[in-house]
């Protein structure tokens, strides 16, 4: 198979990338599926659903404050930097990075056209007026202390996270990027969480070359044309450099 047959003869290609928890594993943030379906020791139903927030906000809040404060202890790894380098090598409008991750490592490594489809740990959202605010200086509050909205005074801002059962952010933009791309790259995702896991099928039927990078085979591996098994931080820098070279960027 010619691995570069996806490159158009007459124009610079468009590339869309979807990342999952696996890309941040080498930065020290634990994945979800890698741990028997637990996220840092918690069942998803207990910390990542609107029902859990309604039933036991203190447990959910403590969990997300822990994830928020962990952001101060981790750094982007070579896989994050490789994607930022690929974006900078392409003309504007030719690269879109879609992430399921709620950490901030893509932004901190220099990625700019970035869609956080499952929200962002750095942000809190007011349930009354919709104001979104960082409040990262308040990550060490007591678990029973919540953050008040500066705009309307509501006393409990929620994590700006898309919980299971809620609508992902930016789906129209995401679908457009996936349909238009020549190359669709998926990194560090187990393929269990929809609609993210279905994007490779959209890319494939609309004619994109679909490349996967993962430690082990995801459940939707049949949808990929090319697969690289191994650690993202080891595979991505070389893969990106090979594309930059063959595209003469
Ligand atoms: P997942 O945890 O279900 O799957 C991660 C995949 O990454 C696994 O298949 C694993 O084999 C692979 N992996 C582990 N280490 C790797 C490495 N070094 N290189 C390449 N691949 C590696 O992740 P998902 O599919 O993104 O779904 C989990 C959900 O949980 C997402 O919605 C996400 O929002 C959330 N989550 C986010 C984070 C984060 O922001 N870093 C962490 C945990 C969970």
């Amino acid at each position: 198979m010619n691995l570069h047959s996806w490159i158009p003869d007459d124009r610079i290609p468009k590339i869309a990338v979807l990342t999952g928890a696996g890309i941040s594993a080498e930065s020290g943030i634990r994945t979800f599926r890698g741990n028997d379906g637990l996220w840092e020791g918690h069942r998803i139903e207990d910390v990542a659903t609107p029902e859990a927030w309604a039933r036991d906000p203190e447990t959910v809040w403590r969990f997300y404050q822990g994830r928020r404060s962990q952001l101060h202890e981790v750094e982007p790894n070579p896989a994050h930097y490789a994607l930022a380098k690929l974006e900078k090598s392409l003309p504007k409008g030719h690269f879109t990075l879609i992430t399921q991750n709620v950490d901030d490592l893509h932004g901190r490594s220099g990625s700019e056209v970035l869609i956080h489809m499952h929200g962002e740990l750095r942000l809190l959202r007011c349930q009354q007026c919709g104001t979104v605010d960082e409040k990262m200086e308040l990550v060490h509050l007591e678990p029973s202390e919540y953050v008040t909205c500066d705009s309307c005074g509501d006393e409990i801002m929620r994590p700006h996270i898309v919980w299971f059962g809620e609508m992902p952010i930016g789906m129209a933009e995401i679908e457009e990027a996936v349909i238009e791309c020549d190359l669709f790259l998926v990194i560090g995702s187990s393929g269990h969480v929809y609609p993210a896991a279905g994007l490779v099928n959209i890319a494939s039927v609309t004619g994109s070359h679909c490349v996967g990078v993962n430690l082990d085979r995801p459940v939707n591996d049949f949808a990929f044309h090319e697969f690289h098994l191994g650690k993202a931080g080891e595979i991505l820098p070389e893969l990106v450099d090979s594309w930059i070279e063959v595209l003469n960027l």
Side-chain angles (χ1 to χ4, degrees):
M1 181 178 48
N2 175 4
L3 292 184
H4 298 133
S5 56
W6 57 273
I7 299 174
D9 296 331
D10 52 346
R11 59 181 172 82
I12 297 175
K14 288 193 170 187
I15 297 178
V17 181
L18 171 70
T19 63
I23 195 167
S24 296
E26 289 158 79
S27 294
I29 301 181
R30 288 160 70 180
T31 61
F32 162 42
R33 299 281 162 189
N35 273 307
D36 299 330
L38 296 180
W39 189 358
E40 296 284 345
H42 293 265
R43 294 186 321 147
I44 287 303
E45 308 88 74
D46 294 337
V47 293
T49 62
E51 292 79 11
W53 176 244
R55 191 175 56 236
D56 184 3
E58 194 171 314
T59 298
V60 176
W61 181 236
R62 188 185 306 119
F63 174 76
Y64 283 102
Q65 285 284 70
R67 309 279 67 69
R68 279 158 61 79
S69 62
Q70 189 190 21
L71 296 179
H72 292 310
E73 294 152 21
V74 294
E75 297 294 335
N77 68 56
H80 298 103
Y81 285 112
L83 293 180
K85 180 176 176 182
L86 182 59
E87 176 177 2
K88 284 184 179 51
S89 308
L90 287 160
K92 289 230 173 309
H94 286 252
F95 183 89
T96 306
L97 176 53
I98 304 151
T99 188
Q100 297 171 84
N101 293 346
V102 291
D103 65 51
D104 60 357
L105 297 179
H106 283 306
R108 280 165 55 195
S109 61
S111 288
E112 286 176 7
V113 182
L114 172 59
I115 305 171
H116 272 278
M117 68 183 293
H118 290 164
E120 297 178 59
L121 284 171
R122 292 192 71 86
L123 303 177
L124 302 177
R125 187 171 79 239
C126 176
Q127 301 169 101
Q128 295 305 322
C129 71
T131 295
V132 172
D133 209 337
E134 282 208 354
K135 301 284 183 186
M136 283 297 283
E137 69 284 7
L138 299 180
V139 291
H140 298 301
L141 286 177
E142 290 299 313
S144 55
E145 285 184 88
Y146 297 92
V147 172
T148 300
C149 174
D150 287 343
S151 301
C152 73
D154 191 63
E155 287 177 359
I156 304 188
M157 291 188 89
R158 62 164 273 180
H160 187 51
I161 298 289
V162 176
W163 285 324
F164 284 85
E166 297 183 323
M167 275 294 284
I169 295 164
M171 279 314 287
E173 229 182 311
I174 290 171
E175 281 175 10
E176 189 182 327
V178 171
I179 288 168
E180 282 185 356
C181 72
D182 300 285
L183 175 73
F184 185 56
L185 171 63
V186 181
I187 307 154
S189 187
S190 61
H192 281 97
V193 180
Y194 280 80
L199 294 175
V200 66
N201 302 100
I202 297 177
S204 188
V205 298
T206 53
S208 313
H209 182 65
C210 299
V211 178
V213 175
N214 212 59
L215 205 52
D216 47 29
R217 292 208 161 261
V219 287
N220 58 352
D221 69 338
F222 55 88
F224 293 89
H225 304 107
E226 181 185 330
F227 213 93
H228 300 262
L229 278 177
K231 291 185 174 179
E234 291 170 6
I235 292 171
L236 256 256
E238 214 173 297
L239 197 58
V240 161
D241 282 347
S242 73
W243 289 334
I244 289 175
E245 190 184 333
V246 74
L247 290 170
N248 283 321
L249 295 170

